[in-house]
Amino acid sequence: MHDMDYEQERLRQLHDLQILDTPAEASFDRLTALVADLLEVPIVLVSLVDQDRQWFKSRVGLAVSQTPRRGSFCQYALIEGRLLLVEDTQRDPRFANHPLVNGAPHLRCYAGVPLSIDGTHLLGTLCVLDLKPRRFTARQLEHLQTLALQVEELLRLHARSLELDRESRRSRKRAARYEAIFHGAAAGIVRIDSSGRIVEINDFALQLLGYHREEVLGSNVSRLMPSHWARFHDRYLKNHLEDGSDQIVGKGRRVEALHRNGQRIPVHLAVSHAPYDEQGGRGDFIGILSDLSEIHETAHRLHKQQQLLSVLHRGLTDYRALLSGNTLWTFLKHALRELTGSDYALIGEVLHTEGSPALKIHALSDLSWNAESQQLMSQLRSGGMLLRNPDSLLGQVFVGGQTILCNDLASHPQHRLPPGHPPLRNYLGVPIVDQGEVLGMFAIANSAEPYREALVTWLEPFTSTCALLIKLYRQLKERAAFTEQLRQTRDEAEAASRAKSEFLSAMSHELRTPLNAILGFAQLLQCSQRHPLDERQRRQIEQIEKSGQHLLNLINEVLDLARIEAGKLNLNPEAVNLAELVREACETLTPIAHQHGVTLQHTGLEHFAVTLWADPTRLRQVLINLLSNAIKYNRPQGSVQIDAQQLGGCVHVSVRDTGIGIAAEDMPRLFQPFSRLETGNAAIEGTGVGLVLTRQILEQMGGRIGVTSRPGLGSEFWFKLPLGDTLRIPSSCTQPLCTRQARCKESCP
Ligand code: ADP
């Protein structure tokens, strides 16, 4: 080892001994006295060599307690590393000039044995000095060395006692800390021995469990647990001690502790095992209990709050489904019981019948106890029976609008139950009020916990949701009644319309048959060769035929109208060439136009070269109707102009005349059945059905009709129909017309 390191370590050991400058000790002094005696020397020292001095733990024959290290005799003994014997200092060049040799006290002899406690580092010497030269016997030197070993032993003892001191201080500190932790902890701590007996228990645990210390010390810890847990606990301890299986030791878990009053307390228990005690036993177990009541309570409150929220959420979002299935009230009743931990619940609505409020029960827990009461319950539930008594526990709520809270029903004056009725312990009745009006009420009974005002406050969102739902329920009921009424009215109107259509249809048919016969016979008479008619007879027959024809037209149109109204007009739409239809219609009507002195003209058939999606027969009917009106309601030398134009996916056809026109105030009646306008057409033949039919037919083919007119100057009737090629609907298509209409509206500007 390096010299510096050696010296440092040596000094460290010496200082760690904490022996320098300590008072004299008899154990050392006895040894130095013995040395003086055995070696017959005047001076004996236990010298410890410090950094700059040598200090004497024990001294015989010397007054000073320390001398400088420099030049000291002991220093040489340490360098020597073993017994240094200087029999005559004056003859030893190391010491001959030493001031203590030359001068007083004239030391002439030195023998020193180095001292060490670890066998390596030399801390000082046990040395003897004499004022005359000496020659020690071997035995004396042996004594000196043996006694030096004893001094070393004393130094070691000193070191050990120091260590012991330190250790005892440490353990006192540990004990104090343990005490502080054990008794001052904000958790329950219970120490038990290996057989489960309580050895120690802190104040927190005692307070948590409601015991005094002397009641539980020495008794088995299982008395602090509910029986089901105690059973497992003993087994777990046993298993741990037998095979080290750790079901509880070293693990924290949530368990229940048992209060002295029998109440169960949720706790977190962490058990640790101190394996051996001083008596060599199997050690102790320490259990740390943290009270989870508050956490438990908070979690419980949170859970309840979530439950309430989900009830409200479901009630409000699903109310339609709940109402339509008529399960809303049962759902609310169930929720109410769950939320309040009550055995029974009812929800009812206040009706105002016979001038006083009455409660209609919507949902009710079963309280029946025999067949009769069962019948009563189902009567109440079905709404077949209303509750009216204003003085009953329910009446005070739904009539008086009071909240009734009673936790001791037995002593309540209004509480009377028929024999056999399940007992009711506590009761809470809450009115459901909206803007001062009691809409209904709910009541709960028999909860494990007593009812409190705070519960009523907590349930406020539930109560106001009930109010909202009752109002919605009423609105929906009203609307359902209204819809039902509408449906009935519609059915009646439809039945009436059907009857009318059937009547018209039957009548038209009945009329047409004899009329055809009349017309046939009139024509026969006109053409008879055998009995030629005279002039008067021919005019009469012509009149019969003309009137008959008019009647037949009227009947045909009425029949068509009846069919349309009865939804029995069958259309066979197909791709139709408009030019062809226009040509045909013009050909048919040209003679009539001549008769009326009216010119029928169009811009050229090439303008009509489009394909339409329509029923050709009905479209022909439309064209003839509009053209014949334009001829009929024209003026002499007037004209009728027919045009067509393709717009988007539609064709726009217009029939313009130069006739009498239509007054603005007459427009609304134009498309009404049997309405013929007064203005100047009294003499013009017509039925007043043609335009109605035209519009119906066009609309059924997905088209539209419109009119503009300038009275005295003429009118323009137009219609739009979807183009065949843009629609690509097969001719056999039986799609509802609305689809096609939609397409026409989409594609027509
Ligand atoms: P009808 O021509 O058989 O009387 P319509 O239903 O075809 O029945 O027409 C209803 C009424 O509308 C007609 O009576 C007539 O007063 C008026 N009207 C129809 N077309 C024209 C027209 N082009 N110009 C003037 N009035 C018309």
Side-chain angles (χ1 to χ4, degrees):
M1 195 187 287
H2 193 271
D3 282 356
M4 278 289 273
D5 291 345
Y6 172 86
E7 177 62 9
Q8 262 177 14
E9 174 58 19
R10 195 190 71 77
L11 284 172
R12 190 192 63 75
Q13 280 190 18
L14 180 63
H15 294 159
D16 277 359
L17 269 178
Q18 295 180 15
I19 199 166
L20 295 173
D21 304 315
T22 53
E25 281 175 62
S27 52
F28 285 94
D29 291 346
R30 272 198 295 274
L31 279 178
T32 46
L34 185 61
V35 171
D37 216 26
L38 287 173
L39 273 78
E40 295 163 8
V41 285
I43 303 169
V44 182
L45 301 169
V46 172
S47 157
L48 296 169
V49 180
D50 197 1
Q51 195 167 2
D52 299 316
R53 58 172 179 162
Q54 57 176 344
W55 178 81
F56 311 121
K57 174 64 189 166
S58 178
R59 52 198 152 88
V60 174
L62 196 68
V64 291
S65 63
Q66 61 182 31
T67 58
R69 176 176 178 177
R70 222 159 158 231
S72 69
F73 288 26
C74 290
Q75 183 179 217
Y76 291 100
L78 295 198
I79 294 167
E80 196 74 17
R82 57 192 168 86
L83 169 71
L84 173 66
L85 178 62
V86 185
E87 292 183 335
D88 185 351
T89 51
Q90 285 184 349
R91 290 187 182 188
D92 188 315
R94 288 174 293 181
F95 304 106
N97 297 321
H98 197 284
L100 296 179
V101 175
N102 279 343
H106 301 287
L107 297 173
R108 292 294 302 272
C109 167
Y110 173 85
V113 183
L115 299 170
S116 170
I117 52 173
D118 66 352
T120 306
H121 296 89
L122 309 178
L123 307 181
T125 60
L126 170 66
C127 62
V128 296
L129 293 138
D130 204 341
L131 303 178
K132 54 182 193 287
R134 287 284 305 261
R135 184 166 288 227
F136 297 113
T137 64
R139 194 166 167 70
Q140 279 176 319
L141 291 176
E142 214 172 282
H143 285 322
L144 182 64
Q145 278 173 318
T146 306
L147 290 168
L149 291 175
Q150 276 314 111
V151 175
E152 283 182 344
E153 207 49 52
L154 282 179
L155 289 174
R156 278 192 207 100
L157 269 176
H158 182 84
R160 218 163 296 140
S161 92
L162 267 184
E163 184 51 43
L164 278 175
D165 266 5
R166 273 190 222 113
E167 183 52 42
S168 106
R169 265 203 305 280
R170 273 202 293 271
S171 70
R172 273 202 304 279
K173 253 192 211 164
R174 265 203 301 272
R177 257 186 243 130
Y178 173 78
E179 284 290 300
I181 291 172
F182 194 87
H183 291 294
I189 306 179
V190 183
R191 189 155 69 88
I192 57 172
D193 64 15
S194 55
S195 55
R197 268 196 310 272
I198 299 172
V199 182
E200 217 177 350
I201 182 163
N202 74 349
D203 295 343
F204 193 95
L206 290 169
Q207 204 181 349
L208 180 70
L209 304 172
Y211 286 99
H212 291 294
R213 185 168 276 107
E214 58 277 13
E215 284 177 290
V216 286
L217 281 182
S219 53
N220 196 289
V221 72
S222 54
R223 75 182 286 189
L224 306 179
M225 309 165 188
S227 53
H228 65 277
W229 168 246
R231 261 203 331 275
F232 291 117
H233 186 264
D234 285 348
R235 211 172 59 219
Y236 289 153
L237 283 192
K238 204 161 151 270
N239 289 349
H240 179 77
L241 290 170
E242 276 169 10
D243 58 15
S245 61
D246 279 335
Q247 269 158 312
I248 53 168
V249 173
K251 289 179 187 144
R253 56 169 60 202
R254 293 171 76 120
V255 296
E256 280 180 332
L258 189 65
H259 191 273
R260 192 170 192 264
N261 64 13
Q263 195 193 330
R264 292 172 176 201
I265 303 167
V267 291
H268 179 269
L269 173 67
V271 179
S272 50
H273 184 202
Y276 302 104
D277 58 18
E278 296 97 48
Q279 282 79 46
R282 302 166 91 181
D284 289 345
F285 292 92
I286 295 175
I288 301 182
L289 301 168
S290 312
D291 184 5
L292 298 182
S293 305
E294 213 166 293
I295 295 170
H296 200 71
E297 178 62 22
T298 310
H300 182 68
R301 269 208 306 274
L302 202 69
H303 175 69
K304 284 277 164 206
Q305 201 66 24
Q306 272 163 355
Q307 245 185 322
L308 176 66
L309 274 177
S310 85
V311 167
L312 301 185
H313 182 254
R314 175 139 190 243
L316 288 174
T317 49
D318 272 12
Y319 76 94
R320 270 175 189 280
L322 289 166
L323 278 177
S324 62
N326 222 1
T327 53
L328 174 71
W329 307 112
T330 322
F331 164 74
L332 290 176
K333 179 203 74 179
H334 184 69
L336 191 60
R337 280 187 48 216
E338 291 276 304
L339 288 172
T340 61
S342 304
D343 289 348
Y344 306 118
L346 80 76
I347 298 189
E349 183 187 350
V350 174
L351 303 180
H352 292 271
T353 57
E354 300 168 20
S356 63
L359 188 70
K360 178 179 186 303
I361 305 280
H362 280 305
L364 174 68
S365 304
D366 193 1
L367 278 158
S368 62
W369 63 96
N370 59 16
E372 201 187 330
S373 60
Q374 224 163 16
Q375 208 185 345
L376 187 80
M377 287 274 153
S378 57
Q379 246 186 313
L380 278 172
R381 275 205 198 100
S382 66
M385 187 177 167
L386 300 180
L387 300 176
R388 292 185 181 279
N389 181 3
D391 301 321
S392 68
L393 277 172
L394 293 174
Q396 290 179 0
V397 183
F398 75 82
V399 181
Q402 298 175 53
T403 296
I404 304 288
L405 190 157
C406 179
N407 283 310
D408 178 21
L409 270 184
S411 60
H412 195 281
Q414 254 79 41
H415 181 59
R416 277 182 302 276
L417 293 177
H421 192 290
L424 296 180
R425 295 188 306 277
N426 48 14
Y427 167 83
L428 174 66
V430 178
I432 299 170
V433 182
D434 180 63
Q435 294 176 353
E437 186 199 348
V438 182
L439 298 180
M441 69 166 289
F442 65 77
I444 40 181
N446 284 15
S447 75
E449 299 278 310
Y451 294 123
R452 297 184 203 289
E453 279 297 332
L455 179 66
V456 182
T457 315
W458 184 74
L459 281 172
E460 261 166 21
F462 179 86
T463 317
S464 42
T465 304
C466 282
L468 194 71
L469 290 173
I470 289 179
K471 285 203 292 187
L472 282 170
Y473 175 71
R474 286 180 179 175
Q475 271 175 17
L476 287 181
K477 247 177 39 177
E478 265 171 35
R479 196 185 302 171
F482 182 65
T483 314
E484 176 58 24
Q485 209 178 341
L486 272 184
R487 200 184 56 76
Q488 273 177 16
T489 314
R490 189 201 60 206
D491 287 355
E492 280 165 20
E494 276 177 8
S497 159
R498 248 194 326 275
K500 185 186 83 182
S501 300
E502 277 162 17
F503 171 76
L504 281 174
S505 166
M507 285 303 289
S508 301
H509 189 74
E510 292 300 311
L511 288 172
R512 243 179 357 167
T513 316
L515 197 57
N516 278 329
I518 291 170
L519 284 171
F521 281 117
Q523 276 163 6
L524 275 179
L525 282 173
Q526 265 180 336
C527 309
S528 171
Q529 302 290 332
R530 280 174 51 198
H531 305 288
L533 302 174
D534 61 26
E535 190 53 35
R536 191 166 155 265
Q537 284 172 325
R538 209 175 47 246
R539 275 203 317 273
Q540 285 170 339
I541 292 293
E542 268 176 20
Q543 193 58 43
I544 290 173
E545 203 201 348
K546 208 173 147 198
S547 304
Q549 199 58 50
H550 174 75
L551 206 54
L552 189 60
N553 282 344
L554 181 66
I555 289 167
N556 279 342
E557 285 183 340
V558 166
L559 193 59
D560 276 350
L561 199 61
R563 277 203 196 110
I564 286 177
E565 282 185 2
K568 287 179 184 163
L569 183 78
N570 287 329
L571 291 176
N572 295 312
E574 59 185 64
V576 177
N577 184 342
L578 181 64
E580 185 60 22
L581 279 188
V582 169
R583 192 184 57 75
E584 265 176 42
C586 288
E587 260 176 31
T588 312
L589 291 171
T590 303
I592 301 167
H594 281 318
Q595 277 172 25
H596 284 77
V598 171
T599 346
L600 190 55
Q601 53 200 24
H602 52 69
T603 42
L605 284 177
E606 66 277 10
H607 287 104
F608 298 92
V610 289
T611 308
L612 286 175
W613 185 259
D615 179 320
T617 313
R618 293 299 173 184
L619 185 54
R620 193 176 298 120
Q621 194 178 350
V622 166
L623 280 171
I624 288 181
N625 227 332
L626 294 180
L627 286 171
S628 63
N629 276 355
I631 296 168
K632 275 195 302 183
Y633 303 109
N634 217 311
R635 58 177 168 75
Q637 275 83 52
S639 67
V640 173
Q641 173 81 27
I642 173 163
D643 288 307
Q645 204 186 350
Q646 194 176 323
L647 288 170
C650 294
V651 69
H652 182 281
V653 179
S654 74
V655 177
R656 259 180 297 142
D657 64 54
T658 52
I660 53 176
I662 303 157
E665 65 270 21
D666 288 336
M667 285 290 186
R669 293 194 291 130
L670 207 55
F671 293 97
Q672 283 179 11
F674 306 109
S675 82
R676 306 201 68 218
L677 308 183
E678 315 288 286
T679 41
N681 69 359
I684 303 170
E685 250 181 41
T687 58
V689 182
L691 279 181
V692 187
L693 257 180
T694 302
R695 185 166 79 170
Q696 298 269 29
I697 290 168
L698 281 169
E699 286 183 353
Q700 293 230 1
M701 292 195 297
R704 279 196 291 157
I705 186 169
V707 60
T708 54
S709 183
R710 286 197 290 167
L713 292 175
S715 311
E716 179 184 354
F717 282 80
W718 57 263
F719 66 86
K720 281 177 186 174
L721 274 175
L723 284 173
D725 51 352
T726 55
L727 283 165
R728 292 191 193 93
I729 299 173
S731 60
S732 59
C733 175
T734 52
Q735 283 262 319
L737 286 163
C738 57
T739 314
R740 277 177 274 144
Q741 279 170 342
R743 280 172 177 255
C744 186
K745 275 185 195 135
E746 262 170 36
S747 49
C748 290

